[in-house]
Amino acid sequence: MKVALVGTGNMGSKYINKFEALGYDAVLIDIDSSRLSKFSDKFKKYTDLNEALKKEDIDFMFVATDPKSHLPIARTALERGINVMVEKPPSVSPRELEEAIEFAQKKGTVLAVSEIELRSNSIRNLQLNDSITEVEAYRLNLGRGYINPFYDLAWHDLYIMNYLFGDFEIQKVADKGDIFEITGRTRENEFFLKVAWSHDFLRREWLLKGKNGNIVLNFAEDKITYSDGSTKEKDSVDKLELMIKQFVSKPSFESSYRALNILKEFSKFSV
């Protein structure tokens, strides 16, 4: 089995580390040869995607480039029978993603979207024994991203929301400069989400509010605190490594369908 990575920047380099840990035969593709030179020569390296696809027998491809190029790159690989996972957001257009899903299905391949937080301890080991009436969520970072936090940071929380509670509707988006506040509802509850890139302090936390008290999901420390005070501390499972292994062993469109729902909600707002 051979995997390929397109885009060896910040997120791409993290994939490469996991390929090494998993012992995968990996091919690295990046238009910037200087980035490729930073990695071991044990990897096959290409600056041209088509050349790599012609010379290498690739089974799975991961794409960690600019969001605008995710799906064009993915379609090139899907055309050749390769299963593909793209980083989030997969696109800025729901129609483009819908067409890419249909294309993959016609080719008998799978298109997936990265959902790394679903493999966190905070989600994998969460036990919901109470009806959740309200969700209050924060993803406040200290760093800087290359697209606005509505399209990038909020993405994590919205696919978690969809995974835990099903379909959702965004009702309001407040753009406060570097901070975005998002309100909406699922079939089970209402939610408030606040996201920011450059913030005064780090906070990645959910408050799940139920009639019996609050459950706190601390994504920064990856632990769960239940209303009775009991905790589920972070375990030894690496979430990116687990996501890669699960995709390779059992590729699925499930993440793409969630991504499509998110993009359809995003398309209602101009930010």
Side-chain angles (χ1 to χ4, degrees), residues 79-101:
E79 173 73 41
R80 292 163 172 77
I82 299 169
N83 296 312
V84 181
M85 173 177 281
V86 300
E87 267 299 311
K88 51 78 185 170
S91 172
V92 294
S93 163
R95 183 58 192 157
E96 185 184 26
L97 177 57
E98 199 164 31
E99 290 174 350
I101 292 171

Side-chain angles (χ1 to χ4, degrees), residues 115-118 120 122-123 126 139 154-166 168 206 208 217 219 258 262:
E115 291 182 328
I116 191 171
E117 292 286 16
L118 295 191
S120 66
S122 302
I123 299 301
L126 176 62
R139 193 168 292 268
W155 189 276
H156 288 293
D157 299 286
L158 293 172
Y159 68 64
I160 295 170
M161 200 79 64
N162 192 229
Y163 174 76
L164 292 178
F165 305 113
F168 65 87
W206 277 35
L208 301 174
L217 307 181
F219 289 99
R258 276 193 285 268
I262 295 172

Side-chain angles (χ1 to χ4, degrees), residues 2-8 26-37 43-58 61:
K2 183 174 290 187
V3 302
L5 172 74
V6 184
T8 60
V27 175
L28 309 184
I29 305 163
D30 198 307
I31 59 173
D32 187 343
S33 59
S34 65
R35 280 206 294 254
L36 287 172
S37 67
F43 297 112
K44 294 285 187 65
K45 303 174 189 177
Y46 295 88
T47 56
D48 183 83
L49 174 62
N50 288 318
E51 181 186 4
L53 291 172
K54 181 179 180 180
K55 293 183 177 179
E56 305 292 339
D57 187 14
I58 297 166
M61 178 175 286

Side-chain angles (χ1 to χ4, degrees), residues 245-257:
K245 287 195 297 185
Q246 288 178 337
F247 177 63
V248 167
S249 63
K250 193 175 180 180
S252 165
F253 282 99
E254 186 178 348
S255 57
S256 287
Y257 296 141

Side-chain angles (χ1 to χ4, degrees), residues 86-135:
V86 300
E87 267 299 311
K88 51 78 185 170
S91 172
V92 294
S93 163
R95 183 58 192 157
E96 185 184 26
L97 177 57
E98 199 164 31
E99 290 174 350
I101 292 171
E102 292 172 357
F103 182 78
Q105 291 171 334
K106 288 177 182 178
K107 292 295 180 180
T109 54
V110 170
L111 173 65
V113 179
S114 169
E115 291 182 328
I116 191 171
E117 292 286 16
L118 295 191
R119 281 77 182 181
S120 66
N121 169 69
S122 302
I123 299 301
R124 277 186 297 105
N125 293 312
L126 176 62
Q127 299 294 321
L128 287 178
N129 299 318
D130 188 12
S131 177
I132 302 302
T133 58
E134 185 180 350
V135 178

